[in-house]
Amino acid sequence: MGEVYRATDANLARQVAIKVLPDAVGSDAERLARFDREAKTLAALNHPNIAHIYGLERSEGQTALVMELVEGPTLADRIAQKPMPVDEALGIAKQIAEALEAAHEQGIVHRDLKPANVKVRDDGTVKVLDFGLAKAMEPTGATAPSQSMSPTITTPAMTQAGMILGTAAYMSPEQARGKTADRRADIWAFGCVLYEMLTGRRAFGGDEVSDVLASVLAREPAMEAIPDEVPARIRDTVAACLQKDPRQRLRDIADVRLVMDGAFARAEKTGPSAHSAPAVAVLWKRTVPWVLGIIIGVVATVALWGLVRPREPGPQPLKRFVIQPTGRLSTNAGNLLAISPDATTLVYEAFNGDDRRLYRRPMDQVDDMPLPDTQWSVVGGQSGGPFFSPDGTRVAFHHQGELKRIALAGASPQTIATSVLYRGGSWGVDDTIVLGGGQSGLLRVSANGGNPVAIVAPDAGEGAFFYPQILPGGRFVLFTVSPDPGSGHLEIVALEGGQRRVVLEDGVAGRVLPSGHLVFFRDRRLWAVRFDSDQFETVGDPVPVVEGVRSEVEGPVQYAVADDGTLAYIQAPGAGPPRSLVWVDQDGRERPTMAPRAHYTWARLSPDGRRVAVEVDDGRNSEVGIVDLERGTLSYVTNHPASDGRPLWTPDGEHIVFSSDRDGSQGLFTTTPDGTGPVERLAAFPGMLVIQPGGWSADASRLAFMYIPGAVLIGTLRLDGSGTWEPLSLGSGASFQTPSVSRDGRWIAYTSNETERNEVYVQRFPELGRKVQVSPGGGIDPAWSADGTRLYYRSETTMMVVSMEDGRPRGAAEPLFEWAYYRPTPGPRTYDIVEVTSLLAIKPDTAGRDPEIHVVLNWFEELKRLVPTN
């Protein structure tokens, strides 16, 4: 579709691909306008396996599409090199399927899926290119069935576009007949691509286009060409995708993915199956009659043995389900969930009002039960962090500065040790407990009680030690060395002697599994690599195995694995379905905006209320974007491997401020909302975990922000170029968060738990005065109306409002409507307000849905497929 150039975006210092549109498109005003609309729709696709569209550029009568530059060969190049191993082919196919699924959920059909439109990066990541562009290139005045539905037949439409819109070998029969194509055409093309990866040849070939089309319409693919080692479920997948009648074809790519995973299979088989039947028949006819007696005897003996011999269990299919926890899963400095070694019981930490506690869920039941005497207030410091005893009958956990254990049978907790802070623990078969003590190193204590003693401590400047696992045999411990939250490497240390050895250079929260794998966390996903437990060495290259696993601001990764291969994890905020921006009036009535759906996790309205600065987090990375509410567009301001987010408008609306760790530590940066200006650092915050801007002083010389150095506090940054800042003296022994400064810069509202319950307070700003409690019965997330006459906040379940005058409440707070919108717990304020009567909120697919616990049964089978261990 036109010429493609490699270019450098000078504003953001990134490499991009520029596709210059043919003159036939660029000179046709109506067609160009339609292309512009299509491109905006495509730009809303935000998925790790889809090449992003950054925007359209026009210059001197030419129009160019600016896209993500994807390095690496195309899949067509890879297929042409040498036969593709089955595991490699299936890994690529799964990522293609996930890309199609994300697009189809947005109503976008590719229409031109083929190996040449798929790129495979060096790290194994697959990127599908040119989504929906076949339709976008459709000429003006085309009528259904559209010419873009039959992309390889030479037509006037194609000569006008100056290109071939597809490849005949991957066209569905309905496209070949010139009929309208829907998502089932993509499923057909997916089947063709999967067949070609497995066999090294096209499913439908021919010397001429007419020969290829005849093959698509009349012939069946040679299924016997698929290698014998390909599992039967994959053969079934190919056959189901390549049903010529679209009514008989799988209708949803998610179903294709489930078939590939074996979700509908009773037992796994390999080999040619039915295709060898004719050869068997011929062989039988040639068998001489006197052999029959021997065969009958052998068959009878085998049949009898088959009745009495012990049977080896075959591979079990993956099964997935979701647990909706009691209460709301919290954000904590420790791990939130643990699973017993035999996978019979899950224990997790959740909020119940302003208190946290531990719950247990027997895996054969549907109800959760609170563990007695495990609740604690959020004011009491770090607690939680459960982990099981080897026999699965007891759980150790942190509670108000003490390490405790509790029997699942229902007894009260018993104290193991006092004055203990830890990040992760492991319980050995000899009742030795190893704790990740951070800067104190690894600590050891008996499960029967005692004082923790150091096993090994970090060297100066090395970082902290977290997330230990006592390895089988009880002599060695795997642990994370973390110089910064969320980053680090894995080492093994001997319990006796303290000898250390690095086993993985880049990864945290590692676990050695009975399947022969080392699983760890990196780049917001779980990875697996083959592990030699005798030599303590990894074998081969790591492979990503689970996308979108949640990690906390201080580094804990929320997953657990049982010895039988059951995986439990909490999904990252951006890993679920995309969300929408909606207006909500005082009575709770919604009005949709024109904003495209995306994984919004933060929203702040511009001073004029026409644009929204957003954070978009897809579960792997977060970026800053701007939503134009009048045009219904989302454009990205940042595109960086670091986590960029929490944008806030300057009072004049000419710039935005956002937080990022792009310099190796947290900082505040500024740029223009159109992304054309330079990104300039305002201040660096080494050692901080989270920075969230909250509002400006009247003269815009000081910026209030929330920060987490361990506790949650509020500070102010002086905007004089010095980068100096100081904490606001709001008190001690409590958390202060979610600051909101009034539009005139005179008042700051914030949340504090100084009364052992979250409440909303107001003080003068930036020079503090007498504070006033605004919420009488609990409150969080305050936000001022533009004229400062109203202050909004949330109680536990309800949006509240109170009239304000000169920083003081006028009358009682009034309830408005039940809160049914996105907000992580705890986390930032995710709504905003400019007008007096309407709020902008982020609405999930399922309103108010809290984070869930995802469970995968027989997960080791998936690991062995992705990372073979023999």
Side-chain angles (χ1 to χ4, degrees):
M1 56 155 292
E3 298 174 316
V4 183
Y5 298 89
R6 182 188 186 117
T8 300
D9 183 337
N11 294 317
L12 297 178
R14 63 181 175 187
Q15 297 293 299
V16 297
I18 294 183
K19 295 195 174 187
V20 179
L21 304 187
D23 291 340
V25 177
S27 60
D28 186 331
E30 181 179 346
R31 193 173 177 189
L32 188 59
R34 181 158 42 80
F35 187 95
D36 187 64
R37 292 194 298 271
E38 292 291 340
K40 289 174 183 176
T41 302
L42 302 176
L45 289 177
N46 189 2
H47 190 272
N49 297 123
I50 297 176
H52 296 167
I53 293 179
Y54 296 143
L56 282 174
E57 296 291 339
R58 297 180 175 88
S59 176
E60 298 180 356
Q62 287 192 317
T63 300
L65 192 65
V66 184
M67 304 182 68
E68 175 185 4
L69 177 65
V70 183
E71 305 284 3
T74 67
L75 183 56
D77 298 329
R78 174 63 188 87
I79 293 172
Q81 288 176 357
K82 59 181 179 179
M84 185 175 292
V86 173
D87 289 336
E88 181 183 356
L90 297 184
I92 293 173
K94 182 179 179 181
Q95 294 184 68
I96 296 174
E98 290 173 348
L100 291 174
E101 186 174 355
H104 289 177
E105 287 178 351
Q106 300 289 324
I108 298 172
V109 181
H110 193 293
R111 292 183 173 88
D112 194 15
L113 180 66
K114 58 187 177 183
N117 274 339
V118 177
K119 279 208 168 189
V120 184
R121 296 196 321 203
D122 291 341
D123 62 359
T125 301
V126 169
K127 290 281 189 177
V128 182
L129 314 176
D130 290 354
F131 257 100
L133 294 186
K135 180 181 180 183
M137 294 297 296
E138 185 177 308
T140 304
T143 57
S146 97
Q147 301 292 354
S148 70
M149 306 305 179
S150 52
T152 59
I153 303 174
T154 301
T155 66
M158 290 177 190
T159 55
Q160 289 169 10
M163 62 182 182
I164 296 177
L165 294 179
T167 302
Y170 308 96
M171 287 173 49
S172 64
E174 58 269 27
Q175 285 177 291
R177 292 188 175 97
K179 296 182 178 180
T180 299
D182 56 21
R183 64 178 62 183
R184 289 172 294 180
D186 280 356
I187 292 174
W188 171 278
F190 176 83
C192 293
V193 172
L194 178 56
Y195 178 95
E196 189 168 338
M197 285 193 291
L198 295 172
T199 65
R201 72 185 200 186
R202 289 179 174 176
F204 304 98
D207 295 332
E208 303 291 339
V209 171
S210 58
D211 298 330
V212 175
L213 295 179
S215 179
V216 168
L217 292 171
R219 301 188 185 96
E220 297 296 331
M223 297 296 289
E224 64 274 10
I226 298 177
D228 292 350
E229 63 267 22
V230 174
R233 69 178 188 277
I234 305 304
R235 295 171 175 273
D236 294 342
T237 301
V238 175
C241 291
L242 297 182
Q243 293 293 317
K244 295 188 186 297
D245 186 348
R247 295 172 298 178
Q248 304 300 318
R249 197 179 309 150
L250 288 173
R251 303 180 65 86
D252 198 303
I253 193 66
D255 295 334
V256 175
R257 178 172 51 78
L258 290 173
V259 173
M260 290 181 65
D261 289 341
F264 309 119
R266 293 179 177 270
E268 185 66 58
K269 297 180 181 179
T270 60
S273 64
H275 300 293
S276 60
V280 173
V282 172
L283 180 62
W284 176 254
K285 290 179 180 179
R286 294 179 179 176
T287 305
V288 293
W290 59 266
V291 176
L292 290 175
I294 298 175
I295 293 176
I296 292 171
V298 172
V299 169
T301 302
V302 171
L304 180 60
W305 170 244
L307 292 174
V308 299
R309 69 178 176 87
R311 298 185 180 272
E312 292 290 334
Q316 299 297 308
L318 261 69
K319 296 181 180 179
R320 305 174 187 269
F321 59 92
V322 172
I323 292 176
Q324 184 65 54
T326 299
R328 291 167 291 119
L329 294 171
S330 62
T331 300
N332 196 6
N335 54 297
L336 301 179
L337 76 165
I339 192 168
S340 61
D342 61 3
T344 60
T345 306
L346 187 74
V347 169
Y348 65 89
E349 172 197 331
F351 269 93
N352 184 3
D354 284 335
D355 290 333
R356 294 172 177 160
R357 72 181 310 151
L358 295 179
Y359 295 83
R360 70 181 180 98
R361 162 70 73 91
M363 299 295 275
D364 60 351
Q365 299 181 25
V366 296
D367 294 322
D368 298 331
M369 290 158 278
L371 288 175
D373 301 321
T374 61
Q375 68 272 17
W376 65 92
S377 169
V378 294
V379 179
Q382 188 221 351
S383 293
F387 56 94
F388 272 91
S389 63
D391 61 6
T393 63
R394 295 164 292 170
V395 172
F397 63 100
H398 193 258
H399 188 264
Q400 307 290 71
E402 297 182 339
L403 177 64
K404 294 192 174 187
R405 71 174 189 267
I406 186 172
L408 294 182
S412 296
Q414 295 179 325
T415 299
I416 297 174
T418 59
S419 301
V420 178
L421 290 173
Y422 70 87
R423 298 292 187 270
S426 182
W427 193 328
V429 294
D430 62 351
D431 273 347
T432 293
I433 288 177
V434 175
L435 303 174
Q439 297 289 346
S440 300
L442 295 184
L443 309 175
R444 174 166 55 185
V445 66
S446 171
N448 298 314
N451 294 319
V453 296
I455 301 170
V456 62
D459 297 330
E462 186 176 14
F465 293 176
F466 297 141
Y467 324 123
Q469 178 196 16
I470 300 175
L471 298 182
R475 297 172 54 208
F476 298 93
V477 177
L478 175 73
F479 66 102
T480 297
V481 179
S482 180
D484 297 300
S487 65
H489 65 270
L490 300 180
E491 293 192 19
I492 283 179
V493 64
L495 275 173
E496 302 299 333
Q499 297 88 353
R500 294 167 56 182
R501 177 176 180 178
V502 176
V503 296
L504 190 79
E505 294 288 351
D506 184 12
V508 299
R511 288 292 179 266
V512 173
L513 304 180
S515 60
H517 297 92
L518 170 64
V519 173
F520 61 93
F521 182 78
R522 180 200 296 167
D523 297 333
R524 302 197 181 193
R525 51 186 172 176
L526 291 184
W527 297 67
V529 64
R530 182 180 171 188
F531 189 72
D532 185 335
S533 295
D534 295 326
Q535 301 298 321
F536 295 142
E537 293 178 345
T538 60
V539 181
D541 296 325
V543 173
V545 291
V546 181
E547 298 284 347
V549 177
R550 174 170 155 180
S551 64
E552 311 301 342
V553 294
E554 294 192 18
V557 182
Q558 305 301 351
Y559 82 102
V561 187
D563 290 344
D564 75 337
T566 298
L567 167 69
Y569 68 96
I570 301 174
Q571 198 172 53
R579 308 178 183 100
S580 52
L581 298 179
V582 296
W583 292 110
V584 187
D585 68 16
Q586 304 280 317
D587 297 319
R589 292 187 293 263
E590 287 183 11
R591 288 187 290 121
T593 68
M594 295 178 61
R597 288 161 49 83
H599 290 107
Y600 301 114
T601 53
W602 170 282
R604 293 294 184 268
L605 284 156
S606 61
D608 61 7
R610 299 168 60 186
R611 293 174 292 172
V612 189
V614 295
E615 176 185 294
V616 180
D617 188 338
D618 64 0
R620 294 178 58 187
N621 197 23
S622 59
E623 302 289 356
V624 173
I626 300 295
V627 171
D628 188 316
L629 293 174
E630 296 177 346
R631 298 173 58 209
T633 60
L634 167 62
S635 57
Y636 286 93
V637 179
T638 65
N639 178 36
H640 197 279
S643 294
D644 298 329
R646 307 298 196 254
L648 181 72
W649 297 87
T650 55
D652 60 8
E654 297 296 322
H655 290 77
I656 57 171
V657 172
F658 65 96
S659 64
S660 175
D661 58 0
R662 59 178 58 201
D663 286 348
S665 62
Q666 284 289 335
L668 284 174
F669 297 79
T670 183
T671 189
T672 55
D674 60 5
T676 61
V679 175
E680 299 177 351
R681 188 175 71 179
L682 296 176
F685 301 88
M688 301 301 178
L689 302 174
V690 170
I691 305 293
Q692 294 178 4
W696 309 87
S697 62
D699 59 359
S701 67
R702 297 174 72 177
L703 172 66
F705 63 94
M706 187 188 85
Y707 63 101
I708 302 180
V712 184
L713 301 173
I714 296 173
T716 59
L717 171 67
R718 295 185 181 275
L719 299 173
D720 55 6
S722 65
T724 59
W725 65 278
E726 57 273 344
L728 275 180
S729 300
L730 298 173
S732 60
S735 294
F736 304 95
Q737 56 184 308
T738 59
S740 175
V741 179
S742 60
R743 181 71 69 87
D744 62 11
R746 298 173 55 209
W747 307 100
I748 183 170
Y750 59 91
T751 303
S752 173
N753 59 9
E754 57 199 74
T755 62
E756 299 194 1
R757 180 173 63 183
N758 283 324
E759 300 284 3
V760 174
Y761 298 85
V762 172
Q763 288 203 51
R764 188 175 296 278
F765 181 78
E767 305 302 329
L768 300 177
R770 183 172 62 90
K771 67 182 177 185
V772 175
Q773 181 177 329
V774 174
S775 57
I780 57 174
D781 295 353
W784 294 90
S785 63
D787 60 5
T789 62
R790 290 191 166 199
L791 183 67
Y792 294 80
Y793 68 91
R794 284 183 49 216
S795 69
E796 179 66 23
T797 60
T798 306
M799 178 60 66
M800 308 288 291
V801 66
V802 59
S803 295
M804 303 291 293
E805 182 177 1
D806 200 26
R808 298 291 184 267
R810 294 181 56 194
E814 300 176 3
L816 294 179
F817 53 85
E818 291 297 306
W819 180 262
Y821 302 95
Y822 171 78
R823 198 265 192 184
T825 306
R829 169 170 61 89
T830 54
Y831 75 94
D832 202 17
I833 182 166
V834 170
E835 302 174 2
V836 173
T837 57
S838 293
L839 294 89
L840 184 78
I842 300 173
K843 183 177 182 179
D845 243 12
T846 302
R849 182 171 63 190
D850 288 317
E852 301 164 328
I853 300 172
H854 292 245
V855 179
V856 184
L857 304 181
N858 307 312
W859 185 54
F860 285 174
E861 298 299 329
E862 173 79 352
L863 283 185
K864 292 174 183 177
R865 180 181 70 80
L866 295 173
V867 186
T869 55
N870 50 30

